[in-house]
């Protein structure tokens, strides 16, 4: 199955470099390009896209707002934010807007390709430690309080809430399994139910919601 990729970046040279890397892959095809968010949204009206590589700093409409509009659509493509800095407020805002993760622009080609495949398969591509550092830095911007206020959280079982806290603290499924003395498959099932019950697309959004609701506070403590 070919992954249809769209490149959104105002730097033509960068798009050309990405396109060359992707064109060499048997399972990927660049089906569209845009130099700003407005052009990207117009392109998406007529082009079937699976994954969007999204720059954040662009004229007319930045990558965060473009991501928000894309993710508001029914059955949208996955968005992978491209950023220059590891701890970037734009990356954090992009995750809140619905992106499935972010990568640095100078990432090795193999890592970028792996990220595109992971996003396409439904995984998030922000390492838990990076997610946690991002959230620890930007948590003061969130409206979270000491007690979880999000009504959707009431749908979770006690075990699911426990798993959600550990996901938000940056633990992998294997680490959560060891902590709770469960099988990794069971943890994966719990994570899947959390996503379904809360209407979230991936682990990144689980982490953001855990901070927003106060289920986890800055520093990673529940």
């Amino acid at each position: 199955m070919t992954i249809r990729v769209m490149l959104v970046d105002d730097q033509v040279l960068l798009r050309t470099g990405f396109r060359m890397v992707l064109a060499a892959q048997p399972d990927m095809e660049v089906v569209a390009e845009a130099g700003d968010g407005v052009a990207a949204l117009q392109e998406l009206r007529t082009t079937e896209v699976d994954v969007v590589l999204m720059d954040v700093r662009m004229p007319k409409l930045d990558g965060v707002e473009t991501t928000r509009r894309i993710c508001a659509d029914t059955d949208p493509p996955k968005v992978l934010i491209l950023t220059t800095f590891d701890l970037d407020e734009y990356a954090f805002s992009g995750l809140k807007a619905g992106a499935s993760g972010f990568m640095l622009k100078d990432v090795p080609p193999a890592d970028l390709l792996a990220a595109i495949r992971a996003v396409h398969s439904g995984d998030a591509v922000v390492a838990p430690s990076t997610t946690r550092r991002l959230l620890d830095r930007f948590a003061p911007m969130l409206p979270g309080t000491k007690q979880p206020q999000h009504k959707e959280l009431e749908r979770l079982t006690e075990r699911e809430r426990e798993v959600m806290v550990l996901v938000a603290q940056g633990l992998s499924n294997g680490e959560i399994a060891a902590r709770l003395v469960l099988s990794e498959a069971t943890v994966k099932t719990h994570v899947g139910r959390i996503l379904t019950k809360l209407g979230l697309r991936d682990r990144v959004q689980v982490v953001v919601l855990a901070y927003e609701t106060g289920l986890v506070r800055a520093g990673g403590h529940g």
Side-chain angles (χ1 to χ4, degrees):
M1 179 181 177
T2 301
I3 303 173
R4 298 164 297 190
V5 180
M6 179 179 186
L7 305 176
V8 184
D9 196 299
D10 61 343
Q11 297 181 45
V12 177
L13 193 59
L14 204 66
R15 294 205 311 266
T16 301
F18 283 146
R19 185 170 65 246
M20 289 173 64
V21 171
L22 269 56
Q25 303 304 306
D27 61 337
M28 293 185 194
E29 179 186 2
V30 176
V31 295
E33 293 186 37
D36 62 70
V38 173
L41 294 173
Q42 290 174 342
E43 195 70 42
L44 283 170
R45 292 194 190 108
T46 56
T47 308
E48 289 286 325
V49 175
D50 299 310
V51 177
V52 179
L53 293 186
M54 179 74 71
D55 185 25
V56 284
R57 295 178 175 90
M58 295 183 297
K60 297 184 182 178
L61 194 65
D62 68 31
V64 174
E65 181 58 28
T66 306
T67 296
R68 186 175 291 111
R69 295 188 191 185
I70 290 172
C71 293
D73 284 346
T74 306
D75 195 25
K78 300 295 175 60
V79 178
L80 189 55
I81 294 283
L82 295 172
T83 180
T84 309
F85 303 105
D86 189 6
L87 289 177
D88 188 333
E89 63 184 285
Y90 288 100
F92 175 77
S93 299
L95 297 180
K96 284 203 66 182
S100 294
F102 73 92
M103 299 290 289
L104 297 178
K105 284 190 176 183
D106 60 357
V107 67
D111 291 355
L112 176 66
L113 297 171
I116 292 170
R117 293 185 181 106
V119 164
H120 182 249
S121 71
D123 291 335
V125 297
V126 185
S129 59
T130 305
T131 306
R132 182 169 169 182
R133 284 189 294 117
L134 264 180
L135 286 161
D136 281 351
R137 176 167 171 180
F138 295 110
M141 296 162 49
L142 298 172
T145 60
K146 291 191 176 181
Q147 295 300 318
Q149 299 295 322
H150 211 272
K151 289 203 170 180
E152 274 82 351
L153 293 180
E154 295 171 6
R155 300 176 188 168
L156 302 182
T157 65
E158 193 170 334
R159 175 63 87 187
E160 287 164 354
R161 284 169 72 99
E162 205 172 359
V163 169
M164 183 172 176
V165 167
L166 295 177
V167 167
Q169 289 176 354
L171 275 65
S172 67
N173 284 356
E175 291 167 337
I176 294 172
R179 177 81 63 91
L180 300 180
V181 197
L182 299 170
S183 73
E184 200 164 334
T186 299
V187 172
K188 192 172 181 180
T189 298
H190 282 313
V191 172
R193 286 178 181 157
I194 291 167
L195 294 176
T196 301
K197 287 183 178 181
L198 299 181
L200 305 175
R201 294 205 308 177
D202 53 43
R203 293 170 78 97
V204 171
Q205 293 189 342
V206 170
V207 179
V208 171
L209 182 62
Y211 274 77
E212 283 185 317
T213 58
L215 189 63
V216 171
R217 295 189 295 283
H221 304 294

